Amino acid sequence: MARLKQTRIEQRLDDYILKTGLREHPAQKALRAATAKHPRGMMQIAPTQGAFMALLVQAIGAKRCIEIGVFTGYSALSVALALPPEGRLIACDVSEEYTAVGRKFWVQAGVADKIDLRIGPARDTVAELLAAGEAGRFDFAFIDADKSNYDAYYEGCLRLLRPLGLIAVDNVLWGGSVADPAHRDQDTMAIKRLNAKIRTDERVSMCLLPISDGVTLAMKRGA
């Protein structure tokens, strides 16, 4: 099989992409700078990924979104900025400390009222939404939280999505570990299982893209 043709992203090229390949709101730049100082700053999504997700949200005309895993809020900010005035994002995370970093930047960008932050286990939040009759009423979902629960998050979000709605799953390459048989830790194996599951899941159309640490897009097929 022919090797996939891909350009290696070195620092000089990465700098060029950041300069010419996306349009960041000042609040996004400020939040990114603040998160870079955080001890776990590497958990933040790349700005190009945020721009990609924002474009997807606009392309499908999304108004109702859910995010599983907020960290300091850059992804939530990216999605909220792309939503129309009446759009809303339910943002799920277990950490008051991490999410507090981003709240002032949500306010700065004028989108705080679009983000419904829910602190607590995301599986519980999803279950509550489903119990409240919210199945099939969401347009877009982003999953970027604890890997051991990725399958549960995927299944829950799939139920919440309308037909032709999109799920974006982050970290599906896991630093390359998914392609290394020597890596058999819990997180790597959970991601590998979900990758394999989505690959054969007839409920969705899918594509795994080598953006940042890997993003899988799964579009829920129509009834």
Side-chain angles (χ1 to χ4, degrees):
M1 182 180 293
R3 185 176 178 83
L4 293 176
K5 184 177 180 181
Q6 294 182 14
T7 300
R8 185 180 297 277
I9 306 298
E10 299 176 345
Q11 187 60 54
R12 183 170 60 179
L13 185 54
D14 190 51
D15 292 342
Y16 174 82
I17 293 170
L18 289 176
K19 182 179 179 180
T20 65
L22 68 153
R23 302 169 182 170
E24 271 189 303
H25 188 282
Q28 288 178 292
K29 290 183 179 180
L31 175 52
R32 187 155 57 88
T35 304
K37 302 173 185 177
H38 194 281
R40 294 194 173 186
M42 290 298 293
M43 289 171 55
Q44 180 177 259
I45 67 167
T48 47
Q49 184 178 339
F52 177 62
M53 289 165 48
L55 189 62
L56 289 175
V57 166
Q58 290 179 317
I60 66 172
K63 293 182 179 179
R64 304 193 73 209
C65 305
I66 184 168
E67 175 175 276
I68 311 273
V70 178
F71 187 40
T72 59
Y74 186 90
S75 52
L77 177 55
S78 300
V79 169
L81 284 166
L83 288 171
E86 70 276 18
R88 294 294 181 270
L89 167 68
I90 294 178
C92 308
D93 204 283
V94 294
S95 175
E96 287 274 11
E97 177 188 355
Y98 292 168
T99 55
V101 175
R103 290 190 184 191
K104 64 181 179 181
F105 298 101
W106 298 348
V107 173
Q108 181 182 326
V111 297
D113 61 333
K114 294 182 181 181
I115 302 173
D116 178 2
L117 179 62
R118 305 202 182 179
I119 301 296
R123 292 183 67 169
D124 293 348
T125 299
V126 170
E128 290 165 5
L129 290 169
L130 291 170
E134 297 290 339
R137 299 190 61 193
F138 284 75
D139 305 298
F140 179 81
F142 178 49
I143 300 173
D144 182 18
D146 56 299
K147 312 312 171 191
S148 60
N149 277 310
Y150 256 31
D151 184 80
Y153 297 148
Y154 172 74
E155 288 295 333
C157 288
L158 196 59
R159 291 181 64 190
L160 288 173
L161 281 190
R162 62 167 170 83
L164 305 184
L166 278 176
I167 299 176
V169 185
D170 198 27
N171 300 123
V172 294
L173 296 181
W174 205 226
S177 296
V178 292
D180 187 345
H183 286 270
R184 299 192 60 81
D185 58 277
Q186 183 178 0
D187 287 343
T188 299
M189 297 308 294
I191 293 169
K192 289 182 70 171
R193 285 193 294 271
L194 182 60
N195 288 346
K197 175 178 179 172
I198 296 176
R199 171 67 177 80
T200 59
D201 191 348
E202 293 298 325
R203 298 172 296 176
V204 301
S205 299
M206 59 77 65
C207 180
L208 191 161
L209 299 169
I211 298 173
S212 192
D213 193 29
V215 178
T216 289
L217 297 181
M219 182 180 72
K220 185 175 181 177
R221 290 178 169 169

